[in-house]
Amino acid sequence: MARRSFLRQLVALPLVGMTSWGQGTSHKSLNVMMKSAWGSDDPTKAAFPFLHGLALSEAGHSVQIFLLGEAVSLMRKSVAAAVVPVGWPPLEEALTKIVARHVQIYACGACSRARSVAQSDLDQWGAKFGSPTIFVSLVEWADRVITE
């Protein structure tokens, strides 16, 4: 009998905790670095750092994005317009929202030069060329580093 009573109480514990879940609970604002090398060859994976970065920013977190490899080509407006992830609008829409939220985007300088991504490509998104030093400073700044 005591055992049943104990088990009933144990089962009820998670339910008690759920009553306040999501009801105005405060959370710590995080510094989140998103890093990606996915390019237009996989539109859905290419869009993730922007879509997830947008969601994190809208939730009140500070987000910065570092692109390298093939991902730097996403800074070209023509590429951003052509990249349509499965189940999502074109990448260009997410990028426009990211810019409006003042999320800083860095495109690896060496990767950009190798792929002829120009300053004018970055300017339309408020992006900057990144370097190994900037990459390290972002990792040190971040509470979380998310690689996609």
Side-chain angles (χ1 to χ4, degrees):
M1 187 67 151
R3 184 175 172 182
R4 279 189 191 160
S5 176
F6 172 74
L7 289 174
R8 232 180 277 123
Q9 291 174 345
L10 193 60
V11 169
L13 280 177
L15 299 176
V16 171
M18 289 179 77
T19 59
S20 64
W21 184 68
Q23 295 179 359
T25 56
S26 63
H27 65 280
K28 177 186 174 209
S29 179
L30 299 172
N31 293 330
V32 182
M33 174 191 171
M34 309 289 295
K35 178 187 91 58
S36 180
W38 290 101
S40 60
D41 58 322
D42 193 327
T44 304
K45 288 180 181 176
F48 281 156
F50 303 101
L51 296 168
H52 296 156
L54 180 60
L56 286 161
S57 177
E58 289 173 342
H61 302 290
S62 297
V63 178
Q64 296 191 62
I65 299 172
F66 195 95
L67 305 174
L68 60 154
E70 295 304 319
V72 301
S73 65
L74 300 172
M75 293 293 91
R76 285 195 195 93
K77 194 165 187 86
S78 60
V79 175
V83 169
V84 181
V86 175
W88 297 90
L91 176 61
E92 184 177 24
E93 289 183 34
L95 271 166
T96 300
K97 291 177 183 177
I98 284 278
V99 169
R101 295 202 59 84
H102 305 289
V103 171
Q104 185 60 62
I105 302 170
Y106 292 95
C108 168
C111 302
S112 295
R113 282 188 300 279
R115 291 162 181 81
S116 301
V117 173
Q119 182 68 53
S120 59
D121 296 317
L122 300 184
D123 289 344
Q124 63 200 346
W125 308 116
K128 299 177 181 177
F129 286 117
S131 66
T133 304
I134 290 172
F135 182 83
V136 169
S137 69
L138 288 177
V139 170
E140 292 171 344
W141 164 83
D143 297 309
R144 303 283 190 280
V145 175
I146 301 174
T147 57
E148 301 204 293

